[in-house]
Amino acid sequence: NVLGENATQKSSVLSLAAGLENECSGKISWLQQPIVSFSRAVFAQQRAMLEQQIPPKMGLSVQAVLQLAAFPHGLSVQQIQPILEQLWARCAWKNAIELNASYDRLSGGQQQCVQITRVCLQVLCAPKLRQGLLILDEPTSALDLCYQQSCLRLLQYCAYEKNCTVLCSLHDLQQADAYADHLLLLSKGH
């Protein structure tokens, strides 16, 4: 878990780990290979990132947004449906958000819940996944306490039961301590 005040470069650290930026003096590796050695297509099958900004209006149902997770794998909606149903059943928001609802009409917090689920699904539906990488930039920022706990339990499920590495930034030190195995505290970008 990456912790720090605002403007301590947490998002930059996560973007580097996701392979979205390459401006660093060191080397970042995933599965004992430099991240720069992965093609974006291959890396998209192994890692997914939730950025702080919620995507703009999409004109899709919640179900269709979740099904975007199949795209990097070339899978059909039918192929990922069992994994989607299993993952959705673990979420506290499953009763508050209808899968056939318009994504654009959801609250910001509900949209964030859908995106958290989509990111997890993108990694978990990989056909030959050895180890997935989930990168989430302040995933609980727009969530009420119940949904924050559900989000963090979902990430623990992905880590412990589905062999994913979860790299996540939070502002709440107590939450991070309760859910993370390792903490990285940044101060002034260091």
PDB file of all heavy atoms in Angstrom, residues 44-45 48 62-70 72-73 75 77 79-88 114-126 129 134 154 158:
ATOM      1  N   ALA A  44      -1.593  -5.737 -20.496  1.00  0.00           N
ATOM      2  CA  ALA A  44      -3.009  -5.485 -20.192  1.00  0.00           C
ATOM      3  C   ALA A  44      -3.742  -6.766 -19.795  1.00  0.00           C
ATOM      4  O   ALA A  44      -4.788  -6.712 -19.153  1.00  0.00           O
ATOM      5  CB  ALA A  44      -3.700  -4.831 -21.381  1.00  0.00           C
ATOM      6  N   GLN A  45      -3.199  -7.902 -20.173  1.00  0.00           N
ATOM      7  CA  GLN A  45      -3.806  -9.175 -19.770  1.00  0.00           C
ATOM      8  C   GLN A  45      -3.405  -9.572 -18.353  1.00  0.00           C
ATOM      9  O   GLN A  45      -4.035 -10.425 -17.749  1.00  0.00           O
ATOM     10  CB  GLN A  45      -3.408 -10.274 -20.750  1.00  0.00           C
ATOM     11  CG  GLN A  45      -3.961 -10.059 -22.127  1.00  0.00           C
ATOM     12  CD  GLN A  45      -3.444 -11.080 -23.123  1.00  0.00           C
ATOM     13  OE1 GLN A  45      -2.619 -11.927 -22.814  1.00  0.00           O
ATOM     14  NE2 GLN A  45      -3.941 -11.000 -24.339  1.00  0.00           N
ATOM     15  N   ALA A  48      -4.238  -4.478 -14.357  1.00  0.00           N
ATOM     16  CA  ALA A  48      -5.295  -3.498 -14.619  1.00  0.00           C
ATOM     17  C   ALA A  48      -5.113  -2.365 -13.630  1.00  0.00           C
ATOM     18  O   ALA A  48      -4.677  -2.574 -12.504  1.00  0.00           O
ATOM     19  CB  ALA A  48      -6.675  -4.136 -14.473  1.00  0.00           C
ATOM     20  N   VAL A  62     -24.266  -0.828 -16.652  1.00  0.00           N
ATOM     21  CA  VAL A  62     -23.267  -1.305 -15.704  1.00  0.00           C
ATOM     22  C   VAL A  62     -22.666  -2.609 -16.216  1.00  0.00           C
ATOM     23  O   VAL A  62     -21.446  -2.799 -16.221  1.00  0.00           O
ATOM     24  CB  VAL A  62     -23.888  -1.477 -14.302  1.00  0.00           C
ATOM     25  CG1 VAL A  62     -22.953  -2.221 -13.371  1.00  0.00           C
ATOM     26  CG2 VAL A  62     -24.287  -0.124 -13.732  1.00  0.00           C
ATOM     27  N   GLN A  63     -23.511  -3.511 -16.676  1.00  0.00           N
ATOM     28  CA  GLN A  63     -23.054  -4.808 -17.193  1.00  0.00           C
ATOM     29  C   GLN A  63     -22.070  -4.617 -18.344  1.00  0.00           C
ATOM     30  O   GLN A  63     -21.031  -5.263 -18.402  1.00  0.00           O
ATOM     31  CB  GLN A  63     -24.261  -5.633 -17.650  1.00  0.00           C
ATOM     32  CG  GLN A  63     -23.914  -6.970 -18.265  1.00  0.00           C
ATOM     33  CD  GLN A  63     -24.110  -8.122 -17.315  1.00  0.00           C
ATOM     34  OE1 GLN A  63     -24.714  -7.975 -16.270  1.00  0.00           O
ATOM     35  NE2 GLN A  63     -23.591  -9.268 -17.682  1.00  0.00           N
ATOM     36  N   ALA A  64     -22.376  -3.708 -19.265  1.00  0.00           N
ATOM     37  CA  ALA A  64     -21.502  -3.477 -20.423  1.00  0.00           C
ATOM     38  C   ALA A  64     -20.158  -2.892 -19.991  1.00  0.00           C
ATOM     39  O   ALA A  64     -19.114  -3.252 -20.553  1.00  0.00           O
ATOM     40  CB  ALA A  64     -22.190  -2.559 -21.423  1.00  0.00           C
ATOM     41  N   VAL A  65     -20.158  -2.002 -19.001  1.00  0.00           N
ATOM     42  CA  VAL A  65     -18.895  -1.456 -18.490  1.00  0.00           C
ATOM     43  C   VAL A  65     -18.051  -2.586 -17.896  1.00  0.00           C
ATOM     44  O   VAL A  65     -16.852  -2.679 -18.153  1.00  0.00           O
ATOM     45  CB  VAL A  65     -19.149  -0.341 -17.444  1.00  0.00           C
ATOM     46  CG1 VAL A  65     -17.857   0.055 -16.736  1.00  0.00           C
ATOM     47  CG2 VAL A  65     -19.790   0.879 -18.105  1.00  0.00           C
ATOM     48  N   LEU A  66     -18.678  -3.450 -17.126  1.00  0.00           N
ATOM     49  CA  LEU A  66     -17.951  -4.575 -16.530  1.00  0.00           C
ATOM     50  C   LEU A  66     -17.415  -5.515 -17.608  1.00  0.00           C
ATOM     51  O   LEU A  66     -16.315  -6.062 -17.486  1.00  0.00           O
ATOM     52  CB  LEU A  66     -18.847  -5.326 -15.553  1.00  0.00           C
ATOM     53  CG  LEU A  66     -19.238  -4.537 -14.297  1.00  0.00           C
ATOM     54  CD1 LEU A  66     -20.316  -5.272 -13.524  1.00  0.00           C
ATOM     55  CD2 LEU A  66     -18.031  -4.268 -13.426  1.00  0.00           C
ATOM     56  N   GLN A  67     -18.173  -5.693 -18.664  1.00  0.00           N
ATOM     57  CA  GLN A  67     -17.762  -6.602 -19.726  1.00  0.00           C
ATOM     58  C   GLN A  67     -16.583  -6.071 -20.550  1.00  0.00           C
ATOM     59  O   GLN A  67     -15.946  -6.832 -21.274  1.00  0.00           O
ATOM     60  CB  GLN A  67     -18.948  -6.927 -20.626  1.00  0.00           C
ATOM     61  CG  GLN A  67     -19.967  -7.786 -19.907  1.00  0.00           C
ATOM     62  CD  GLN A  67     -21.302  -7.877 -20.623  1.00  0.00           C
ATOM     63  OE1 GLN A  67     -21.619  -7.077 -21.496  1.00  0.00           O
ATOM     64  NE2 GLN A  67     -22.093  -8.863 -20.230  1.00  0.00           N
ATOM     65  N   LEU A  68     -16.258  -4.782 -20.395  1.00  0.00           N
ATOM     66  CA  LEU A  68     -15.065  -4.242 -21.049  1.00  0.00           C
ATOM     67  C   LEU A  68     -13.802  -4.968 -20.585  1.00  0.00           C
ATOM     68  O   LEU A  68     -12.777  -4.962 -21.264  1.00  0.00           O
ATOM     69  CB  LEU A  68     -14.926  -2.743 -20.762  1.00  0.00           C
ATOM     70  CG  LEU A  68     -15.976  -1.832 -21.393  1.00  0.00           C
ATOM     71  CD1 LEU A  68     -15.828  -0.409 -20.863  1.00  0.00           C
ATOM     72  CD2 LEU A  68     -15.892  -1.862 -22.911  1.00  0.00           C
ATOM     73  N   ALA A  69     -13.883  -5.603 -19.431  1.00  0.00           N
ATOM     74  CA  ALA A  69     -12.738  -6.355 -18.893  1.00  0.00           C
ATOM     75  C   ALA A  69     -12.320  -7.506 -19.797  1.00  0.00           C
ATOM     76  O   ALA A  69     -11.183  -7.972 -19.730  1.00  0.00           O
ATOM     77  CB  ALA A  69     -13.086  -6.887 -17.500  1.00  0.00           C
ATOM     78  N   ALA A  70     -13.217  -7.981 -20.648  1.00  0.00           N
ATOM     79  CA  ALA A  70     -12.904  -9.100 -21.535  1.00  0.00           C
ATOM     80  C   ALA A  70     -12.036  -8.679 -22.721  1.00  0.00           C
ATOM     81  O   ALA A  70     -11.334  -9.501 -23.308  1.00  0.00           O
ATOM     82  CB  ALA A  70     -14.207  -9.727 -22.056  1.00  0.00           C
ATOM     83  N   PRO A  72      -9.079  -7.027 -23.348  1.00  0.00           N
ATOM     84  CA  PRO A  72      -7.649  -7.345 -23.500  1.00  0.00           C
ATOM     85  C   PRO A  72      -7.371  -8.827 -23.735  1.00  0.00           C
ATOM     86  O   PRO A  72      -6.317  -9.191 -24.248  1.00  0.00           O
ATOM     87  CB  PRO A  72      -7.030  -6.908 -22.164  1.00  0.00           C
ATOM     88  CG  PRO A  72      -8.002  -5.970 -21.567  1.00  0.00           C
ATOM     89  CD  PRO A  72      -9.348  -6.386 -22.060  1.00  0.00           C
ATOM     90  N   HIS A  73      -8.307  -9.663 -23.378  1.00  0.00           N
ATOM     91  CA  HIS A  73      -8.106 -11.111 -23.478  1.00  0.00           C
ATOM     92  C   HIS A  73      -8.719 -11.716 -24.741  1.00  0.00           C
ATOM     93  O   HIS A  73      -8.526 -12.894 -25.013  1.00  0.00           O
ATOM     94  CB  HIS A  73      -8.711 -11.806 -22.259  1.00  0.00           C
ATOM     95  CG  HIS A  73      -8.253 -11.203 -20.969  1.00  0.00           C
ATOM     96  ND1 HIS A  73      -6.966 -11.360 -20.485  1.00  0.00           N
ATOM     97  CD2 HIS A  73      -8.894 -10.416 -20.076  1.00  0.00           C
ATOM     98  CE1 HIS A  73      -6.847 -10.699 -19.346  1.00  0.00           C
ATOM     99  NE2 HIS A  73      -7.987 -10.116 -19.080  1.00  0.00           N
ATOM    100  N   LEU A  75     -11.800 -12.313 -25.108  1.00  0.00           N
ATOM    101  CA  LEU A  75     -12.837 -13.243 -24.642  1.00  0.00           C
ATOM    102  C   LEU A  75     -14.224 -12.705 -24.951  1.00  0.00           C
ATOM    103  O   LEU A  75     -14.428 -11.498 -25.049  1.00  0.00           O
ATOM    104  CB  LEU A  75     -12.706 -13.461 -23.132  1.00  0.00           C
ATOM    105  CG  LEU A  75     -11.398 -14.081 -22.645  1.00  0.00           C
ATOM    106  CD1 LEU A  75     -11.346 -14.090 -21.126  1.00  0.00           C
ATOM    107  CD2 LEU A  75     -11.241 -15.492 -23.191  1.00  0.00           C
ATOM    108  N   VAL A  77     -18.266 -12.171 -23.953  1.00  0.00           N
ATOM    109  CA  VAL A  77     -19.021 -11.838 -22.743  1.00  0.00           C
ATOM    110  C   VAL A  77     -19.440 -13.115 -22.018  1.00  0.00           C
ATOM    111  O   VAL A  77     -19.368 -13.206 -20.790  1.00  0.00           O
ATOM    112  CB  VAL A  77     -20.249 -10.975 -23.118  1.00  0.00           C
ATOM    113  CG1 VAL A  77     -21.168 -10.798 -21.937  1.00  0.00           C
ATOM    114  CG2 VAL A  77     -19.789  -9.630 -23.655  1.00  0.00           C
ATOM    115  N   GLN A  79     -17.904 -15.918 -21.925  1.00  0.00           N
ATOM    116  CA  GLN A  79     -16.758 -16.560 -21.278  1.00  0.00           C
ATOM    117  C   GLN A  79     -16.421 -15.935 -19.923  1.00  0.00           C
ATOM    118  O   GLN A  79     -15.956 -16.624 -19.034  1.00  0.00           O
ATOM    119  CB  GLN A  79     -15.524 -16.505 -22.189  1.00  0.00           C
ATOM    120  CG  GLN A  79     -15.618 -17.434 -23.385  1.00  0.00           C
ATOM    121  CD  GLN A  79     -14.477 -17.220 -24.340  1.00  0.00           C
ATOM    122  OE1 GLN A  79     -14.307 -16.152 -24.905  1.00  0.00           O
ATOM    123  NE2 GLN A  79     -13.663 -18.260 -24.523  1.00  0.00           N
ATOM    124  N   ILE A  80     -16.643 -14.635 -19.772  1.00  0.00           N
ATOM    125  CA  ILE A  80     -16.305 -14.003 -18.493  1.00  0.00           C
ATOM    126  C   ILE A  80     -17.495 -13.915 -17.541  1.00  0.00           C
ATOM    127  O   ILE A  80     -17.318 -13.576 -16.380  1.00  0.00           O
ATOM    128  CB  ILE A  80     -15.708 -12.594 -18.691  1.00  0.00           C
ATOM    129  CG1 ILE A  80     -16.754 -11.605 -19.203  1.00  0.00           C
ATOM    130  CG2 ILE A  80     -14.478 -12.641 -19.568  1.00  0.00           C
ATOM    131  CD1 ILE A  80     -16.371 -10.163 -18.954  1.00  0.00           C
ATOM    132  N   GLN A  81     -18.684 -14.237 -18.022  1.00  0.00           N
ATOM    133  CA  GLN A  81     -19.892 -14.088 -17.204  1.00  0.00           C
ATOM    134  C   GLN A  81     -19.824 -14.842 -15.866  1.00  0.00           C
ATOM    135  O   GLN A  81     -20.165 -14.271 -14.831  1.00  0.00           O
ATOM    136  CB  GLN A  81     -21.143 -14.511 -17.996  1.00  0.00           C
ATOM    137  CG  GLN A  81     -22.445 -14.090 -17.347  1.00  0.00           C
ATOM    138  CD  GLN A  81     -22.602 -12.583 -17.245  1.00  0.00           C
ATOM    139  OE1 GLN A  81     -22.113 -11.829 -18.078  1.00  0.00           O
ATOM    140  NE2 GLN A  81     -23.262 -12.140 -16.199  1.00  0.00           N
ATOM    141  N   PRO A  82     -19.351 -16.091 -15.820  1.00  0.00           N
ATOM    142  CA  PRO A  82     -19.275 -16.777 -14.519  1.00  0.00           C
ATOM    143  C   PRO A  82     -18.335 -16.074 -13.530  1.00  0.00           C
ATOM    144  O   PRO A  82     -18.630 -15.986 -12.341  1.00  0.00           O
ATOM    145  CB  PRO A  82     -18.740 -18.171 -14.867  1.00  0.00           C
ATOM    146  CG  PRO A  82     -19.035 -18.355 -16.313  1.00  0.00           C
ATOM    147  CD  PRO A  82     -18.997 -16.992 -16.925  1.00  0.00           C
ATOM    148  N   ILE A  83     -17.233 -15.554 -14.022  1.00  0.00           N
ATOM    149  CA  ILE A  83     -16.289 -14.847 -13.148  1.00  0.00           C
ATOM    150  C   ILE A  83     -16.906 -13.533 -12.682  1.00  0.00           C
ATOM    151  O   ILE A  83     -16.795 -13.159 -11.513  1.00  0.00           O
ATOM    152  CB  ILE A  83     -14.950 -14.607 -13.868  1.00  0.00           C
ATOM    153  CG1 ILE A  83     -14.337 -15.929 -14.298  1.00  0.00           C
ATOM    154  CG2 ILE A  83     -13.983 -13.829 -12.978  1.00  0.00           C
ATOM    155  CD1 ILE A  83     -13.228 -15.802 -15.304  1.00  0.00           C
ATOM    156  N   LEU A  84     -17.597 -12.845 -13.594  1.00  0.00           N
ATOM    157  CA  LEU A  84     -18.288 -11.604 -13.241  1.00  0.00           C
ATOM    158  C   LEU A  84     -19.317 -11.857 -12.142  1.00  0.00           C
ATOM    159  O   LEU A  84     -19.370 -11.134 -11.142  1.00  0.00           O
ATOM    160  CB  LEU A  84     -18.954 -10.989 -14.475  1.00  0.00           C
ATOM    161  CG  LEU A  84     -19.934  -9.843 -14.234  1.00  0.00           C
ATOM    162  CD1 LEU A  84     -19.295  -8.694 -13.478  1.00  0.00           C
ATOM    163  CD2 LEU A  84     -20.517  -9.360 -15.556  1.00  0.00           C
ATOM    164  N   GLU A  85     -20.118 -12.887 -12.302  1.00  0.00           N
ATOM    165  CA  GLU A  85     -21.152 -13.190 -11.302  1.00  0.00           C
ATOM    166  C   GLU A  85     -20.534 -13.541  -9.953  1.00  0.00           C
ATOM    167  O   GLU A  85     -21.020 -13.099  -8.909  1.00  0.00           O
ATOM    168  CB  GLU A  85     -22.044 -14.320 -11.808  1.00  0.00           C
ATOM    169  CG  GLU A  85     -22.930 -13.903 -12.962  1.00  0.00           C
ATOM    170  CD  GLU A  85     -23.672 -15.049 -13.617  1.00  0.00           C
ATOM    171  OE1 GLU A  85     -23.595 -16.206 -13.130  1.00  0.00           O
ATOM    172  OE2 GLU A  85     -24.334 -14.787 -14.649  1.00  0.00           O
ATOM    173  N   GLN A  86     -19.447 -14.292  -9.962  1.00  0.00           N
ATOM    174  CA  GLN A  86     -18.764 -14.657  -8.720  1.00  0.00           C
ATOM    175  C   GLN A  86     -18.194 -13.419  -8.032  1.00  0.00           C
ATOM    176  O   GLN A  86     -18.315 -13.249  -6.819  1.00  0.00           O
ATOM    177  CB  GLN A  86     -17.651 -15.660  -9.026  1.00  0.00           C
ATOM    178  CG  GLN A  86     -16.867 -16.099  -7.815  1.00  0.00           C
ATOM    179  CD  GLN A  86     -15.698 -16.992  -8.204  1.00  0.00           C
ATOM    180  OE1 GLN A  86     -15.088 -16.817  -9.242  1.00  0.00           O
ATOM    181  NE2 GLN A  86     -15.393 -17.944  -7.349  1.00  0.00           N
ATOM    182  N   LEU A  87     -17.577 -12.550  -8.795  1.00  0.00           N
ATOM    183  CA  LEU A  87     -16.988 -11.338  -8.240  1.00  0.00           C
ATOM    184  C   LEU A  87     -18.062 -10.385  -7.735  1.00  0.00           C
ATOM    185  O   LEU A  87     -17.956  -9.832  -6.636  1.00  0.00           O
ATOM    186  CB  LEU A  87     -16.148 -10.662  -9.332  1.00  0.00           C
ATOM    187  CG  LEU A  87     -15.054  -9.709  -8.925  1.00  0.00           C
ATOM    188  CD1 LEU A  87     -14.074 -10.367  -7.976  1.00  0.00           C
ATOM    189  CD2 LEU A  87     -14.331  -9.198 -10.156  1.00  0.00           C
ATOM    190  N   TRP A  88     -19.120 -10.184  -8.524  1.00  0.00           N
ATOM    191  CA  TRP A  88     -20.210  -9.273  -8.161  1.00  0.00           C
ATOM    192  C   TRP A  88     -20.877  -9.729  -6.869  1.00  0.00           C
ATOM    193  O   TRP A  88     -21.266  -8.908  -6.032  1.00  0.00           O
ATOM    194  CB  TRP A  88     -21.215  -9.182  -9.307  1.00  0.00           C
ATOM    195  CG  TRP A  88     -22.183  -8.044  -9.182  1.00  0.00           C
ATOM    196  CD1 TRP A  88     -23.513  -8.129  -8.896  1.00  0.00           C
ATOM    197  CD2 TRP A  88     -21.908  -6.649  -9.356  1.00  0.00           C
ATOM    198  NE1 TRP A  88     -24.079  -6.886  -8.873  1.00  0.00           N
ATOM    199  CE2 TRP A  88     -23.111  -5.951  -9.157  1.00  0.00           C
ATOM    200  CE3 TRP A  88     -20.760  -5.917  -9.656  1.00  0.00           C
ATOM    201  CZ2 TRP A  88     -23.206  -4.561  -9.246  1.00  0.00           C
ATOM    202  CZ3 TRP A  88     -20.858  -4.527  -9.741  1.00  0.00           C
ATOM    203  CH2 TRP A  88     -22.068  -3.883  -9.536  1.00  0.00           C
ATOM    204  N   VAL A 114     -18.279   0.228  -9.565  1.00  0.00           N
ATOM    205  CA  VAL A 114     -18.304  -0.519 -10.830  1.00  0.00           C
ATOM    206  C   VAL A 114     -16.901  -0.602 -11.414  1.00  0.00           C
ATOM    207  O   VAL A 114     -16.463  -1.670 -11.871  1.00  0.00           O
ATOM    208  CB  VAL A 114     -19.291   0.129 -11.825  1.00  0.00           C
ATOM    209  CG1 VAL A 114     -19.184  -0.503 -13.215  1.00  0.00           C
ATOM    210  CG2 VAL A 114     -20.722   0.032 -11.301  1.00  0.00           C
ATOM    211  N   GLN A 115     -16.161   0.494 -11.384  1.00  0.00           N
ATOM    212  CA  GLN A 115     -14.810   0.495 -11.946  1.00  0.00           C
ATOM    213  C   GLN A 115     -13.864  -0.393 -11.146  1.00  0.00           C
ATOM    214  O   GLN A 115     -13.014  -1.080 -11.712  1.00  0.00           O
ATOM    215  CB  GLN A 115     -14.266   1.927 -12.038  1.00  0.00           C
ATOM    216  CG  GLN A 115     -14.982   2.785 -13.064  1.00  0.00           C
ATOM    217  CD  GLN A 115     -14.845   2.267 -14.484  1.00  0.00           C
ATOM    218  OE1 GLN A 115     -13.878   1.596 -14.844  1.00  0.00           O
ATOM    219  NE2 GLN A 115     -15.817   2.571 -15.328  1.00  0.00           N
ATOM    220  N   ILE A 116     -14.002  -0.418  -9.831  1.00  0.00           N
ATOM    221  CA  ILE A 116     -13.195  -1.315  -8.998  1.00  0.00           C
ATOM    222  C   ILE A 116     -13.454  -2.759  -9.402  1.00  0.00           C
ATOM    223  O   ILE A 116     -12.526  -3.554  -9.577  1.00  0.00           O
ATOM    224  CB  ILE A 116     -13.500  -1.094  -7.501  1.00  0.00           C
ATOM    225  CG1 ILE A 116     -12.976   0.268  -7.053  1.00  0.00           C
ATOM    226  CG2 ILE A 116     -12.927  -2.224  -6.638  1.00  0.00           C
ATOM    227  CD1 ILE A 116     -13.564   0.748  -5.737  1.00  0.00           C
ATOM    228  N   THR A 117     -14.719  -3.097  -9.575  1.00  0.00           N
ATOM    229  CA  THR A 117     -15.092  -4.452  -9.980  1.00  0.00           C
ATOM    230  C   THR A 117     -14.537  -4.769 -11.363  1.00  0.00           C
ATOM    231  O   THR A 117     -14.012  -5.857 -11.603  1.00  0.00           O
ATOM    232  CB  THR A 117     -16.622  -4.623  -9.956  1.00  0.00           C
ATOM    233  OG1 THR A 117     -17.135  -4.183  -8.700  1.00  0.00           O
ATOM    234  CG2 THR A 117     -17.018  -6.058 -10.195  1.00  0.00           C
ATOM    235  N   ARG A 118     -14.626  -3.808 -12.293  1.00  0.00           N
ATOM    236  CA  ARG A 118     -14.125  -4.018 -13.660  1.00  0.00           C
ATOM    237  C   ARG A 118     -12.626  -4.290 -13.661  1.00  0.00           C
ATOM    238  O   ARG A 118     -12.135  -5.189 -14.345  1.00  0.00           O
ATOM    239  CB  ARG A 118     -14.429  -2.802 -14.547  1.00  0.00           C
ATOM    240  CG  ARG A 118     -13.932  -2.971 -15.989  1.00  0.00           C
ATOM    241  CD  ARG A 118     -13.913  -1.665 -16.755  1.00  0.00           C
ATOM    242  NE  ARG A 118     -13.165  -0.609 -16.105  1.00  0.00           N
ATOM    243  CZ  ARG A 118     -11.822  -0.512 -16.093  1.00  0.00           C
ATOM    244  NH1 ARG A 118     -11.087  -1.423 -16.693  1.00  0.00           N
ATOM    245  NH2 ARG A 118     -11.227   0.493 -15.483  1.00  0.00           N
ATOM    246  N   VAL A 119     -11.876  -3.523 -12.875  1.00  0.00           N
ATOM    247  CA  VAL A 119     -10.425  -3.698 -12.818  1.00  0.00           C
ATOM    248  C   VAL A 119     -10.080  -5.091 -12.280  1.00  0.00           C
ATOM    249  O   VAL A 119      -9.222  -5.786 -12.831  1.00  0.00           O
ATOM    250  CB  VAL A 119      -9.798  -2.574 -11.954  1.00  0.00           C
ATOM    251  CG1 VAL A 119      -8.369  -2.875 -11.599  1.00  0.00           C
ATOM    252  CG2 VAL A 119      -9.904  -1.242 -12.676  1.00  0.00           C
ATOM    253  N   CYS A 120     -10.750  -5.501 -11.219  1.00  0.00           N
ATOM    254  CA  CYS A 120     -10.516  -6.849 -10.676  1.00  0.00           C
ATOM    255  C   CYS A 120     -10.872  -7.913 -11.708  1.00  0.00           C
ATOM    256  O   CYS A 120     -10.124  -8.871 -11.911  1.00  0.00           O
ATOM    257  CB  CYS A 120     -11.327  -7.062  -9.394  1.00  0.00           C
ATOM    258  SG  CYS A 120     -10.798  -6.033  -8.013  1.00  0.00           S
ATOM    259  N   LEU A 121     -11.987  -7.734 -12.369  1.00  0.00           N
ATOM    260  CA  LEU A 121     -12.437  -8.695 -13.375  1.00  0.00           C
ATOM    261  C   LEU A 121     -11.450  -8.789 -14.536  1.00  0.00           C
ATOM    262  O   LEU A 121     -11.178  -9.883 -15.031  1.00  0.00           O
ATOM    263  CB  LEU A 121     -13.826  -8.280 -13.885  1.00  0.00           C
ATOM    264  CG  LEU A 121     -14.487  -9.194 -14.896  1.00  0.00           C
ATOM    265  CD1 LEU A 121     -14.714 -10.587 -14.310  1.00  0.00           C
ATOM    266  CD2 LEU A 121     -15.813  -8.585 -15.347  1.00  0.00           C
ATOM    267  N   GLN A 122     -10.881  -7.658 -14.948  1.00  0.00           N
ATOM    268  CA  GLN A 122      -9.936  -7.670 -16.068  1.00  0.00           C
ATOM    269  C   GLN A 122      -8.768  -8.599 -15.785  1.00  0.00           C
ATOM    270  O   GLN A 122      -8.314  -9.329 -16.665  1.00  0.00           O
ATOM    271  CB  GLN A 122      -9.422  -6.263 -16.356  1.00  0.00           C
ATOM    272  CG  GLN A 122      -8.430  -6.220 -17.510  1.00  0.00           C
ATOM    273  CD  GLN A 122      -7.977  -4.821 -17.840  1.00  0.00           C
ATOM    274  OE1 GLN A 122      -8.707  -3.862 -17.653  1.00  0.00           O
ATOM    275  NE2 GLN A 122      -6.757  -4.695 -18.327  1.00  0.00           N
ATOM    276  N   VAL A 123      -8.280  -8.596 -14.566  1.00  0.00           N
ATOM    277  CA  VAL A 123      -7.155  -9.462 -14.223  1.00  0.00           C
ATOM    278  C   VAL A 123      -7.621 -10.895 -13.989  1.00  0.00           C
ATOM    279  O   VAL A 123      -6.989 -11.843 -14.444  1.00  0.00           O
ATOM    280  CB  VAL A 123      -6.397  -8.903 -12.995  1.00  0.00           C
ATOM    281  CG1 VAL A 123      -5.390  -9.905 -12.473  1.00  0.00           C
ATOM    282  CG2 VAL A 123      -5.704  -7.599 -13.371  1.00  0.00           C
ATOM    283  N   LEU A 124      -8.741 -11.063 -13.312  1.00  0.00           N
ATOM    284  CA  LEU A 124      -9.181 -12.411 -12.947  1.00  0.00           C
ATOM    285  C   LEU A 124      -9.686 -13.236 -14.124  1.00  0.00           C
ATOM    286  O   LEU A 124      -9.705 -14.460 -14.049  1.00  0.00           O
ATOM    287  CB  LEU A 124     -10.242 -12.347 -11.861  1.00  0.00           C
ATOM    288  CG  LEU A 124      -9.792 -11.763 -10.526  1.00  0.00           C
ATOM    289  CD1 LEU A 124     -10.919 -11.822  -9.513  1.00  0.00           C
ATOM    290  CD2 LEU A 124      -8.556 -12.461  -9.998  1.00  0.00           C
ATOM    291  N   CYS A 125     -10.080 -12.591 -15.212  1.00  0.00           N
ATOM    292  CA  CYS A 125     -10.593 -13.383 -16.340  1.00  0.00           C
ATOM    293  C   CYS A 125      -9.491 -13.761 -17.323  1.00  0.00           C
ATOM    294  O   CYS A 125      -9.767 -14.355 -18.364  1.00  0.00           O
ATOM    295  CB  CYS A 125     -11.758 -12.679 -17.028  1.00  0.00           C
ATOM    296  SG  CYS A 125     -11.340 -11.234 -17.992  1.00  0.00           S
ATOM    297  N   ALA A 126      -8.242 -13.481 -16.982  1.00  0.00           N
ATOM    298  CA  ALA A 126      -7.127 -13.898 -17.838  1.00  0.00           C
ATOM    299  C   ALA A 126      -7.088 -15.426 -17.899  1.00  0.00           C
ATOM    300  O   ALA A 126      -7.046 -16.080 -16.861  1.00  0.00           O
ATOM    301  CB  ALA A 126      -5.810 -13.355 -17.299  1.00  0.00           C
ATOM    302  N   LEU A 129      -3.542 -16.991 -16.242  1.00  0.00           N
ATOM    303  CA  LEU A 129      -2.932 -16.065 -15.292  1.00  0.00           C
ATOM    304  C   LEU A 129      -2.075 -16.803 -14.274  1.00  0.00           C
ATOM    305  O   LEU A 129      -2.549 -17.693 -13.580  1.00  0.00           O
ATOM    306  CB  LEU A 129      -4.027 -15.270 -14.569  1.00  0.00           C
ATOM    307  CG  LEU A 129      -3.541 -14.205 -13.595  1.00  0.00           C
ATOM    308  CD1 LEU A 129      -2.867 -13.067 -14.349  1.00  0.00           C
ATOM    309  CD2 LEU A 129      -4.702 -13.678 -12.782  1.00  0.00           C
ATOM    310  N   LEU A 134      -2.951  -5.750  -9.742  1.00  0.00           N
ATOM    311  CA  LEU A 134      -4.012  -4.753  -9.629  1.00  0.00           C
ATOM    312  C   LEU A 134      -3.409  -3.484  -9.063  1.00  0.00           C
ATOM    313  O   LEU A 134      -2.778  -3.513  -8.000  1.00  0.00           O
ATOM    314  CB  LEU A 134      -5.124  -5.245  -8.700  1.00  0.00           C
ATOM    315  CG  LEU A 134      -5.947  -6.415  -9.209  1.00  0.00           C
ATOM    316  CD1 LEU A 134      -6.827  -6.969  -8.103  1.00  0.00           C
ATOM    317  CD2 LEU A 134      -6.796  -5.972 -10.389  1.00  0.00           C
ATOM    318  N   LEU A 154     -12.576  -7.057  -1.139  1.00  0.00           N
ATOM    319  CA  LEU A 154     -12.506  -7.579  -2.506  1.00  0.00           C
ATOM    320  C   LEU A 154     -11.050  -7.639  -2.978  1.00  0.00           C
ATOM    321  O   LEU A 154     -10.622  -8.621  -3.591  1.00  0.00           O
ATOM    322  CB  LEU A 154     -13.336  -6.701  -3.450  1.00  0.00           C
ATOM    323  CG  LEU A 154     -13.417  -7.141  -4.904  1.00  0.00           C
ATOM    324  CD1 LEU A 154     -14.106  -8.493  -5.035  1.00  0.00           C
ATOM    325  CD2 LEU A 154     -14.159  -6.088  -5.731  1.00  0.00           C
ATOM    326  N   CYS A 158      -8.765 -10.932  -4.023  1.00  0.00           N
ATOM    327  CA  CYS A 158      -7.943 -11.049  -5.234  1.00  0.00           C
ATOM    328  C   CYS A 158      -6.501 -11.403  -4.880  1.00  0.00           C
ATOM    329  O   CYS A 158      -5.865 -12.201  -5.572  1.00  0.00           O
ATOM    330  CB  CYS A 158      -7.990  -9.746  -6.031  1.00  0.00           C
ATOM    331  SG  CYS A 158      -9.599  -9.401  -6.776  1.00  0.00           S
TER     332      CYS A 158
END
